[in-house]
């Protein structure tokens, strides 16, 4: 073995091991090459074709397991990053989007602040009225992120910006093949916001059927 230029004898030097025979197969998945699986020194005789085929069968399972472990690690890192980002955004909202984040000191604004304070500690449905651009979603976010549902999702949708068929799918979900373009199952916003807050803007612009 030591005379074969393809053989790396570093293992022998480090472990004080003598490699007499070896069989190796690649570890591959659909994502690419992961490494090499090899066996050293058969107890009796040399490695044969049957041993190579057996190692190839084992390599498929091992490669998939390694790939899954790596993907799981990447997923955990991504989840932790999202959690840190969520906590950071939540802290920013809580520190900067309180009543001080809404400009106004007149009597109508003070009345609105009083109403907001009353509903923050409840899970009641709230109707926020106002012209476009007056900050209805900002009010909804302040109520959510300072209320009892602050740890739950906040989801917003402009109902007036979507046609009826798309709005129905967006709100109530669809399954794969339910309509043209439904290439996969899709959760609706009511399901995504379950336990939290869903803010529906421009509900007066929705089609009567909706």
């Amino acid at each position: 073995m030591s005379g074969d230029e393809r053989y790396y004898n570093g293992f022998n030097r480090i472990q004080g091991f003598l490699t007499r025979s070896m069989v190796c197969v690649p570890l591959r998945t659909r994502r690419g090459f992961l490494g090499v699986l090899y066996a050293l020194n058969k107890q009796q005789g040399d490695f044969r074709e049957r041993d190579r085929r057996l190692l190839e069968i084992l390599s498929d399972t091992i490669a998939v397991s390694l790939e899954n472990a790596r993907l799981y690690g990447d997923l955990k890192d991504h989840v932790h990053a999202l959690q840190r980002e969520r906590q950071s955004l939540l802290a920013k909202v809580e520190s900067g989007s309180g009543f001080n984040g809404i400009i106004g000191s007149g009597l109508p604004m003070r009345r609105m602040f009083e109403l907001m304070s009353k509903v923050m500690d409840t899970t009641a449905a709230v109707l926020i009225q106002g012209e476009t651009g007056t900050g209805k979603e900002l009010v909804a976010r302040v109520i959510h992120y300072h209320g009892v549902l602050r740890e739950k999702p906040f989801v917003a949708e402009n109902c007036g910006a979507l046609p009826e068929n798309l709005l129905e799918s967006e709100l109530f979900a669809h399954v794969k093949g339910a309509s043209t373009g439904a290439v996969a199952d899709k959760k609706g916003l009511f399901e995504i916001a379950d336990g939290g807050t869903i803010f529906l803007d421009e509900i007066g612009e929705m089609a009567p059927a909706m």
Side-chain angles (χ1 to χ4, degrees), residues 94-165:
E94 290 181 341
S95 62
S97 294
F99 291 127
N100 291 334
I102 303 177
I103 299 174
S105 59
L107 180 60
M109 294 299 294
R110 292 199 300 271
R111 288 175 178 171
M112 184 184 72
F113 293 153
E114 291 175 1
L115 290 173
M116 291 170 63
S117 298
K118 291 180 180 178
V119 299
M120 279 181 181
D121 293 328
T122 74
T123 58
V126 178
L127 174 63
I128 304 173
Q129 294 178 304
E131 297 296 328
T132 299
T134 53
K136 297 186 292 296
E137 183 174 343
L138 173 60
V139 172
R141 288 184 179 275
V142 170
I143 293 173
H144 174 82
Y145 287 110
H146 287 77
V148 294
L149 302 178
R150 64 173 66 90
E151 297 296 331
K152 302 296 183 178
F154 177 92
V155 179
E157 181 61 67
N158 185 346
C159 298
L162 294 176
E164 181 179 340
N165 59 328

Side-chain angles (χ1 to χ4, degrees), residues 49-64:
E49 181 65 19
R50 178 178 179 276
D51 300 315
R52 185 186 66 81
R53 290 198 300 269
L54 177 60
L55 209 60
E56 285 179 341
I57 294 173
L58 291 174
S59 70
D60 290 340
T61 302
I62 293 173
V64 171

Side-chain angles (χ1 to χ4, degrees), residues 4-43:
D4 193 321
E5 64 180 12
R6 296 171 298 174
Y7 174 63
Y8 172 71
N9 62 1
F11 181 78
N12 288 1
R13 294 198 306 268
I14 296 172
Q15 301 295 331
F17 187 81
L18 177 60
T19 299
R20 296 186 301 272
S21 62
M22 177 177 68
V23 60
C24 59
V25 295
L27 294 172
R28 289 194 182 97
T29 67
R30 287 179 296 178
R31 288 176 172 265
F33 177 74
L34 299 181
V36 176
L37 173 66
Y38 60 91
L40 304 177
N41 295 356
K42 192 173 182 180
Q43 288 184 344

